[in-house]
Each structure stands twice: as C-alpha cells, then as structure tokens.
Coordinates of all heavy atoms in Angstrom, one line a residue:
M606 N -39.2 -24.7 -142.3 CA -39.6 -23.5 -143.2 C -39.8 -22.3 -142.3 O -40.5 -22.4 -141.3 CB -40.9 -23.8 -143.8 CG -41.3 -22.7 -144.8 SD -42.4 -23.2 -145.9 CE -43.6 -22.0 -145.7
P607 N -39.0 -21.2 -142.4 CA -39.1 -20.1 -141.6 C -40.3 -19.3 -141.8 O -40.9 -19.3 -142.8 CB -37.9 -19.2 -142.0 CG -37.5 -19.7 -143.4 CD -37.8 -21.1 -143.4
R608 N -40.8 -18.7 -140.6 CA -41.8 -17.9 -140.7 C -41.6 -16.6 -141.4 O -40.6 -16.1 -141.3 CB -42.4 -17.7 -139.2 CG -43.0 -19.0 -138.8 CD -43.6 -18.7 -137.3 NE -42.4 -18.4 -136.4 CZ -42.6 -18.0 -135.2 NH1 -43.8 -17.9 -134.7 NH2 -41.5 -17.8 -134.5
T609 N -42.6 -16.0 -142.0 CA -42.4 -14.7 -142.7 C -42.2 -13.6 -141.7 O -41.4 -12.6 -142.0 CB -43.6 -14.4 -143.7 OG1 -44.7 -14.3 -142.8 CG2 -43.7 -15.3 -144.8
G610 N -42.7 -13.7 -140.5 CA -42.5 -12.6 -139.6 C -41.2 -12.6 -139.0 O -40.6 -11.4 -138.8
D611 N -40.4 -13.8 -138.9 CA -39.1 -13.7 -138.5 C -38.2 -13.1 -139.5 O -37.2 -12.5 -139.2 CB -38.6 -15.2 -138.2 CG -39.3 -15.7 -137.0 OD1 -39.8 -14.9 -136.2 OD2 -39.4 -17.0 -136.8
R612 N -38.5 -13.4 -140.8 CA -37.7 -12.9 -141.8 C -37.8 -11.3 -141.9 O -36.8 -10.7 -142.2 CB -38.1 -13.5 -143.2 CG -37.1 -13.3 -144.3 CD -37.4 -14.1 -145.5 NE -38.3 -15.2 -145.5 CZ -39.2 -15.6 -146.3 NH1 -39.4 -14.9 -147.3 NH2 -39.9 -16.6 -146.1
E613 N -38.9 -10.8 -141.7 CA -39.1 -9.4 -141.8 C -38.5 -8.6 -140.6 O -38.0 -7.6 -140.8 CB -40.6 -9.1 -141.8 CG -41.4 -9.5 -143.0 CD -42.9 -9.3 -142.9 OE1 -43.3 -8.8 -142.0 OE2 -43.6 -9.7 -143.9
R614 N -38.5 -9.3 -139.5 CA -37.8 -8.6 -138.4 C -36.3 -8.6 -138.4 O -35.6 -7.8 -137.8 CB -38.2 -9.4 -137.1 CG -39.5 -8.8 -136.5 CD -39.7 -9.4 -135.2 NE -41.1 -10.1 -135.2 CZ -41.3 -11.3 -134.8 NH1 -40.4 -11.9 -133.9 NH2 -42.5 -11.8 -134.9
S615 N -35.6 -9.4 -139.1 CA -34.2 -9.5 -139.3 C -33.7 -8.2 -140.0 O -32.7 -7.7 -139.7 CB -33.6 -10.8 -140.0 OG -34.1 -10.8 -141.3
G616 N -34.4 -7.9 -141.0 CA -34.2 -6.6 -141.6 C -32.7 -6.4 -142.0 O -32.1 -5.3 -141.8
G617 N -32.2 -7.2 -142.7 CA -30.8 -7.3 -143.1 C -30.4 -6.2 -144.1 O -29.2 -5.7 -144.2
G618 N -31.4 -5.6 -144.9 CA -31.0 -4.8 -146.0 C -31.3 -3.3 -145.7 O -30.9 -2.4 -146.5
G619 N -32.1 -2.9 -144.6 CA -32.6 -1.6 -144.4 C -31.5 -0.7 -143.7 O -30.6 -1.2 -143.1
P620 N -31.7 0.6 -144.1 CA -30.6 1.5 -143.4 C -30.9 1.6 -141.9 O -32.0 1.6 -141.4 CB -30.8 2.9 -144.1 CG -32.3 2.6 -144.6 CD -32.6 1.3 -144.9
L621 N -29.9 2.0 -141.1 CA -30.1 2.1 -139.7 C -30.5 3.5 -139.4 O -31.3 3.8 -138.3 CB -28.7 1.9 -138.9 CG -28.1 0.5 -139.0 CD1 -26.8 0.6 -138.4 CD2 -29.1 -0.5 -138.4
L622 N -30.3 4.6 -140.2 CA -30.6 6.0 -139.9 C -31.2 6.5 -141.4 O -30.8 6.0 -142.5 CB -29.5 6.8 -139.6 CG -28.9 6.6 -138.2 CD1 -27.6 7.6 -138.1 CD2 -29.8 7.0 -137.2
T623 N -32.1 7.4 -141.2 CA -32.6 8.1 -142.5 C -31.5 9.1 -142.8 O -30.6 9.4 -142.1 CB -33.9 8.7 -142.1 OG1 -33.7 9.7 -141.1 CG2 -35.0 7.8 -141.8
Q624 N -31.6 9.6 -144.0 CA -30.6 10.6 -144.6 C -30.7 11.9 -143.7 O -29.7 12.5 -143.3 CB -30.8 10.9 -146.0 CG -30.4 9.8 -146.9 CD -30.6 10.2 -148.4 OE1 -31.4 11.1 -148.7 NE2 -30.1 9.3 -149.2
R625 N -32.0 12.2 -143.3 CA -32.2 13.3 -142.5 C -31.5 13.3 -141.1 O -30.9 14.2 -140.6 CB -33.7 13.6 -142.3 CG -34.0 14.8 -141.5 CD -35.5 15.1 -141.4 NE -35.9 16.3 -140.7 CZ -36.2 16.2 -139.4 NH1 -36.3 15.0 -138.8 NH2 -36.5 17.2 -138.8
A626 N -31.6 12.1 -140.5 CA -31.0 11.9 -139.1 C -29.6 11.9 -139.4 O -28.8 12.4 -138.3 CB -31.6 10.6 -138.5
A627 N -29.0 11.3 -140.3 CA -27.6 11.3 -140.5 C -27.0 12.7 -140.6 O -25.9 13.1 -140.1 CB -27.1 10.4 -141.7
I628 N -27.7 13.5 -141.4 CA -27.2 14.9 -141.7 C -27.3 15.7 -140.3 O -26.3 16.4 -140.0 CB -28.1 15.6 -142.7 CG1 -27.8 15.0 -144.1 CG2 -27.8 17.1 -142.8 CD1 -26.5 15.1 -144.6
V629 N -28.4 15.5 -139.6 CA -28.4 16.2 -138.3 C -27.4 15.8 -137.3 O -26.8 16.6 -136.7 CB -29.9 16.0 -137.6 CG1 -30.0 16.4 -136.3 CG2 -31.0 16.7 -138.5
F630 N -27.2 14.6 -137.2 CA -26.1 14.0 -136.3 C -24.7 14.4 -136.8 O -23.8 14.8 -136.0 CB -26.2 12.6 -136.1 CG -27.2 12.0 -135.3 CD1 -28.0 11.0 -135.6 CD2 -27.7 12.9 -134.1 CE1 -29.1 10.6 -134.9 CE2 -28.6 12.4 -133.3 CZ -29.4 11.3 -133.8
L631 N -24.5 14.5 -138.1 CA -23.2 14.9 -138.7 C -22.9 16.4 -138.4 O -21.8 16.8 -137.9 CB -23.1 14.7 -140.2 CG -21.9 15.2 -140.9 CD1 -20.7 14.4 -140.3 CD2 -22.1 15.2 -142.4
L632 N -23.9 17.3 -138.6 CA -23.8 18.6 -138.3 C -23.6 19.0 -136.8 O -22.9 19.8 -136.5 CB -24.9 19.5 -138.9 CG -25.0 19.5 -140.5 CD1 -26.4 20.1 -140.8 CD2 -23.9 20.2 -141.0
A633 N -24.3 18.2 -136.0 CA -24.3 18.3 -134.5 C -22.8 18.0 -134.1 O -22.2 18.6 -133.3 CB -25.3 17.5 -133.8
A634 N -22.2 17.0 -134.6 CA -21.0 16.5 -134.3 C -19.9 17.5 -134.8 O -18.9 17.8 -133.9 CB -20.6 15.1 -135.0
L635 N -20.0 18.0 -135.9 CA -19.0 19.1 -136.4 C -19.2 20.3 -135.5 O -18.2 20.9 -135.2 CB -19.4 19.4 -137.9 CG -19.1 18.2 -138.9 CD1 -19.5 18.7 -140.3 CD2 -17.6 18.0 -138.8
A636 N -20.4 20.6 -135.1 CA -20.5 21.9 -134.2 C -19.9 21.5 -132.8 O -19.2 22.4 -132.3 CB -22.0 22.2 -134.0
G637 N -20.1 20.4 -132.3 CA -19.6 20.0 -131.0 C -18.0 20.0 -131.1 O -17.3 20.5 -130.1
I638 N -17.4 19.3 -132.2 CA -16.0 19.4 -132.3 C -15.4 20.7 -132.4 O -14.3 21.0 -131.9 CB -15.5 18.5 -133.5 CG1 -15.8 17.0 -133.2 CG2 -14.1 18.5 -133.9 CD1 -15.8 16.0 -134.4
G639 N -16.1 21.5 -133.3 CA -15.6 23.0 -133.4 C -15.6 23.7 -132.0 O -14.7 24.5 -131.8
A640 N -16.6 23.5 -131.3 CA -16.8 24.2 -130.0 C -15.7 23.7 -129.0 O -15.1 24.4 -128.3 CB -18.1 24.0 -129.4
T641 N -15.4 22.5 -129.0 CA -14.3 21.9 -128.2 C -12.9 22.5 -128.6 O -12.2 22.9 -127.7 CB -14.3 20.3 -128.4 OG1 -15.6 19.8 -128.0 CG2 -13.1 19.7 -127.5
V642 N -12.7 22.5 -130.0 CA -11.4 23.1 -130.4 C -11.3 24.5 -129.9 O -10.2 25.0 -129.4 CB -11.3 22.9 -131.9 CG1 -10.2 23.6 -132.5 CG2 -11.1 21.4 -132.3
L643 N -12.3 25.3 -130.1 CA -12.4 26.7 -129.8 C -12.1 26.9 -128.3 O -11.4 27.8 -127.8 CB -13.5 27.4 -130.3 CG -13.7 27.6 -131.8 CD1 -15.0 28.2 -132.2 CD2 -12.5 28.5 -132.3
A644 N -12.7 26.1 -127.5 CA -12.6 26.1 -126.0 C -11.1 25.8 -125.6 O -10.5 26.4 -124.7 CB -13.6 25.2 -125.3
V645 N -10.5 24.8 -126.3 CA -9.1 24.4 -126.0 C -8.2 25.6 -126.4 O -7.3 25.9 -125.6 CB -8.7 23.2 -126.7 CG1 -7.2 22.9 -126.6 CG2 -9.5 21.9 -126.0
L646 N -8.4 26.1 -127.6 CA -7.7 27.2 -128.0 C -7.7 28.4 -127.1 O -6.9 29.3 -127.1 CB -7.9 27.6 -129.4 CG -7.5 26.6 -130.5 CD1 -8.0 27.0 -131.9 CD2 -6.0 26.4 -130.5
A647 N -8.9 28.6 -126.5 CA -9.1 29.7 -125.5 C -8.4 29.5 -124.2 O -8.4 30.5 -123.3 CB -10.6 30.0 -125.3
G648 N -7.9 28.3 -124.0 CA -7.0 28.1 -122.8 C -7.8 27.3 -121.7 O -7.4 27.2 -120.6
R649 N -8.9 26.8 -122.0 CA -9.8 25.9 -121.0 C -9.2 24.5 -120.9 O -8.6 24.1 -121.8 CB -11.2 25.8 -121.5 CG -11.9 27.1 -121.6 CD -12.3 27.7 -120.3 NE -12.9 29.0 -120.4 CZ -13.1 29.7 -119.5 NH1 -12.6 29.6 -118.3 NH2 -13.9 30.9 -119.7
A650 N -9.3 23.9 -119.8 CA -8.9 22.6 -119.5 C -9.7 21.7 -120.3 O -10.9 21.9 -120.8 CB -9.1 22.2 -118.0
W651 N -9.2 20.4 -120.7 CA -9.7 19.4 -121.6 C -11.0 19.1 -121.0 O -12.1 18.9 -121.8 CB -8.9 18.1 -121.6 CG -8.0 18.5 -122.7 CD1 -6.7 18.7 -122.6 CD2 -8.2 18.3 -124.2 NE1 -6.1 18.8 -123.9 CE2 -7.0 18.6 -124.7 CE3 -9.3 18.2 -124.9 CZ2 -6.9 18.6 -126.3 CZ3 -9.2 18.2 -126.4 CH2 -8.0 18.4 -127.0
P652 N -11.3 18.8 -119.7 CA -12.7 18.5 -119.3 C -13.7 19.6 -119.5 O -14.8 19.2 -119.8 CB -12.5 18.1 -117.8 CG -11.1 17.8 -117.5 CD -10.4 18.6 -118.6
V653 N -13.3 20.8 -119.3 CA -14.2 21.9 -119.5 C -14.5 22.0 -121.1 O -15.6 22.2 -121.6 CB -13.6 23.2 -118.9 CG1 -14.5 24.4 -119.4 CG2 -13.5 23.0 -117.4
A654 N -13.6 21.8 -121.9 CA -13.7 22.0 -123.4 C -14.6 20.9 -123.9 O -15.5 21.0 -124.7 CB -12.3 21.8 -124.0
V655 N -14.4 19.6 -123.3 CA -15.3 18.5 -123.8 C -16.7 18.6 -123.4 O -17.7 18.4 -124.1 CB -14.9 17.1 -123.2 CG1 -15.7 16.0 -123.4 CG2 -13.4 16.8 -123.9
S656 N -16.9 19.3 -122.1 CA -18.3 19.6 -121.6 C -18.9 20.6 -122.5 O -20.1 20.5 -122.8 CB -18.1 20.1 -120.2 OG -17.6 19.0 -119.3
V657 N -18.2 21.6 -122.9 CA -18.7 22.6 -123.7 C -19.0 22.0 -125.1 O -20.1 22.4 -125.7 CB -17.6 23.8 -124.0 CG1 -18.0 24.6 -125.2 CG2 -17.4 24.6 -122.7
G658 N -18.3 21.1 -125.7 CA -18.6 20.5 -127.0 C -19.7 19.6 -126.9 O -20.5 19.6 -127.8
C659 N -19.9 18.8 -125.6 CA -21.1 18.2 -125.6 C -22.4 19.0 -125.5 O -23.5 18.5 -126.1 CB -21.0 17.1 -124.4 SG -19.8 15.9 -124.6
G660 N -22.3 19.9 -124.8 CA -23.4 20.9 -124.7 C -23.8 21.5 -126.0 O -25.1 21.6 -126.4
T661 N -22.8 21.8 -126.8 CA -23.1 22.4 -128.0 C -23.7 21.4 -129.1 O -24.6 21.7 -129.8 CB -21.7 22.9 -128.7 OG1 -21.2 24.0 -127.8 CG2 -21.9 23.5 -130.0
A662 N -23.1 20.2 -129.0 CA -23.6 19.1 -129.8 C -25.2 18.9 -129.6 O -25.9 18.6 -130.4 CB -22.8 17.8 -129.7
A663 N -25.4 18.8 -128.3 CA -26.9 18.5 -127.8 C -27.7 19.7 -128.2 O -28.8 19.4 -128.8 CB -27.0 18.2 -126.3
S664 N -27.4 20.8 -128.1 CA -28.1 21.9 -128.6 C -28.2 22.0 -130.1 O -29.2 22.3 -130.7 CB -27.5 23.3 -128.1 OG -27.5 23.4 -126.8
A665 N -27.1 21.6 -130.8 CA -27.2 21.6 -132.3 C -28.1 20.5 -132.8 O -28.8 20.8 -133.8 CB -25.8 21.3 -132.9
V666 N -28.2 19.4 -132.2 CA -29.2 18.5 -132.7 C -30.7 19.0 -132.6 O -31.4 18.7 -133.6 CB -29.2 17.1 -131.8 CG1 -30.3 16.3 -132.0 CG2 -27.9 16.3 -132.0
L667 N -30.9 19.6 -131.6 CA -32.3 20.3 -131.4 C -32.5 21.3 -132.5 O -33.4 21.4 -133.2 CB -32.5 20.8 -130.0 CG -32.6 19.8 -128.9 CD1 -32.6 20.5 -127.6 CD2 -33.6 18.9 -129.1
F668 N -31.5 22.1 -132.6 CA -31.6 23.2 -133.6 C -31.7 22.6 -135.1 O -32.5 23.1 -135.9 CB -30.3 24.1 -133.5 CG -30.1 25.1 -134.6 CD1 -31.0 26.3 -134.6 CD2 -29.2 25.0 -135.7 CE1 -31.0 27.2 -135.6 CE2 -29.2 26.0 -136.7 CZ -30.1 27.2 -136.6
F669 N -30.8 21.8 -135.5 CA -30.8 21.2 -136.9 C -32.0 20.4 -137.2 O -32.5 20.3 -138.3 CB -29.6 20.5 -137.2 CG -28.2 21.3 -137.3 CD1 -27.2 21.2 -136.6 CD2 -28.2 22.5 -138.2 CE1 -26.1 21.9 -136.6 CE2 -27.2 23.2 -138.3 CZ -26.1 22.9 -137.5
Q670 N -32.5 19.8 -136.2 CA -33.8 19.0 -136.3 C -34.9 19.8 -136.6 O -35.8 19.5 -137.4 CB -34.0 18.2 -135.0 CG -35.2 17.2 -135.1 CD -35.5 16.5 -133.7 OE1 -34.9 16.8 -132.8 NE2 -36.5 15.7 -133.9
Q671 N -35.0 21.1 -136.1 CA -36.1 22.0 -136.4 C -35.9 22.6 -137.8 O -37.0 22.9 -138.4 CB -36.0 23.1 -135.4 CG -36.5 22.6 -134.0 CD -37.9 22.2 -134.0 OE1 -38.8 22.9 -134.6 NE2 -38.2 21.2 -133.2
I672 N -34.7 22.9 -138.2 CA -34.6 23.7 -139.4 C -34.5 22.9 -140.7 O -34.7 23.4 -142.0 CB -33.4 24.7 -139.3 CG1 -32.1 24.0 -139.3 CG2 -33.5 25.6 -138.3 CD1 -30.9 24.9 -139.6
I673 N -34.0 21.5 -140.5 CA -34.0 20.7 -141.7 C -35.2 19.9 -141.9 O -35.7 19.2 -141.1 CB -32.8 19.7 -141.6 CG1 -31.4 20.5 -141.4 CG2 -32.7 18.7 -142.8 CD1 -30.3 19.6 -141.2
D674 N -35.7 20.1 -143.1 CA -37.0 19.5 -143.5 C -36.8 18.3 -144.5 O -36.0 18.2 -145.1 CB -38.1 20.4 -144.1 CG -38.8 21.2 -142.9 OD1 -38.8 20.7 -141.9 OD2 -39.1 22.3 -143.4

C-alpha cells in the first residue's frame, strides 16, 4: 500500500508554471527575439545579436514581473 506522502509528491496533475509566470516568460521571449531580429537587421554579427537578445529578455523578465499583477 503506497504512502500518502509519496502520492502527493508525484504531483502528476498540477501545472509546471502559473499563468502569470507563463505570460512573463512569453513576453520576455518575444522581446528578446524582437531585439535579436532588430540587431541582425542593423548589421550586427549573430553572436552580438544573440547577446543583445539575451540581455533584453533578462531585463524584460524583471520588467514584466513588476508590472503584471
């Protein structure tokens, strides 16, 4: 007979992210992709454009986390 503590820890039915976290990460990813595309169109090399996109995405997570309630 399985213990109830083991059954609760398996958590097969719960979501991995809350809706708020999913929206924050989605908006951050879109901002990062947009910044990367704009950097490439401006003539930057791919490594520089990806770095710009990652920095934008990290900043966007902090920004959207603050403004979305």
Side-chain angles (χ1 to χ4, degrees):
M606 184 163 131
R608 293 181 291 176
T609 58
D611 292 338
R612 195 176 332 148
E613 290 174 3
R614 273 188 240 140
S615 65
L621 296 176
L622 290 173
T623 62
Q624 288 180 350
R625 180 178 180 263
I628 294 295
V629 167
F630 287 137
L631 175 66
L632 291 173
L635 291 174
I638 290 169
T641 302
V642 169
L643 288 175
V645 168
L646 291 176
R649 300 289 181 192
W651 276 103
V653 174
V655 171
S656 296
V657 167
C659 289
T661 302
S664 299
V666 167
L667 297 174
F668 174 73
F669 289 123
Q670 184 181 5
Q671 291 293 318
I672 66 167
I673 294 177
D674 280 331

